[in-house]
Amino acid sequence: MNLVLLGAPGAGKGTQGNLLVKDLGLKKISTGDIFREILKDPSNPLYEDVKVIKEGKLVTDETVNNVVRYAVETSDNKNFIFDGYPRTLAQADALDKILADNGMKIDAVFELSVTKDVLMYRLLGRRTCRNCKGIFHVSAGYEVCPQCGGELYTRDDDNEETVEARFVEYNTKTMPLIEYYSSKDVKYIKYTVDSVDLTPDDINKKVLPELK
Ligand SMILES: [Zn+2]
């Protein structure tokens, strides 16, 4: 099974993705992770294309697609969960081609959505440790970081305006992808986190039967 994971910022996509990797035995494809892996190995055929990242530059769309192709074709596990890719229609199209060349296709898209109320509660209540970068919610009542004793603070971008802007940006960018996949033979599963009391395990239990 090949799955595309979509998730609004603050929806908990990373956590759910990791649970699905474990439950379904998938290999996670995240471009950031693959870039880091390639940068550690100058003999990698894509090293020259990717090393511009070290100079603070962006890699081209073509390189992103090549990197995904490399990850797909060199993985022993051929059941993938794509996290953070595709971001655009051109990338979705490229991914279809990469998979088709390897006798595969996208079977399902799972979107982890979040209501604006829950998102605001989570992000505006977020406290980050200055020392270890640990993230905690203000409702936990910690005076200092429970991991290292460091100072907890609110990041500048955890404010109502920025969160709202990221929410709108996500929906604008994601809509065309959902339309793209709905025009194909791809199962679309959406789960909306609509309560601040839902734990990652609660969500996983509800989502898993639909994906199996
Ligand atoms: Zn800390």
Side-chain angles (χ1 to χ4, degrees), residues 117-130:
D117 287 350
V118 172
L119 186 69
M120 288 291 175
Y121 173 88
R122 282 186 177 178
L123 296 187
L124 301 186
R126 198 153 74 159
R127 299 293 178 268
T128 305
C129 172
R130 260 189 221 289

Side-chain angles (χ1 to χ4, degrees), residues 129 131-132 145 147-148 150:
C129 172
N131 185 39
C132 73
C145 174
Q147 284 171 185
C148 75

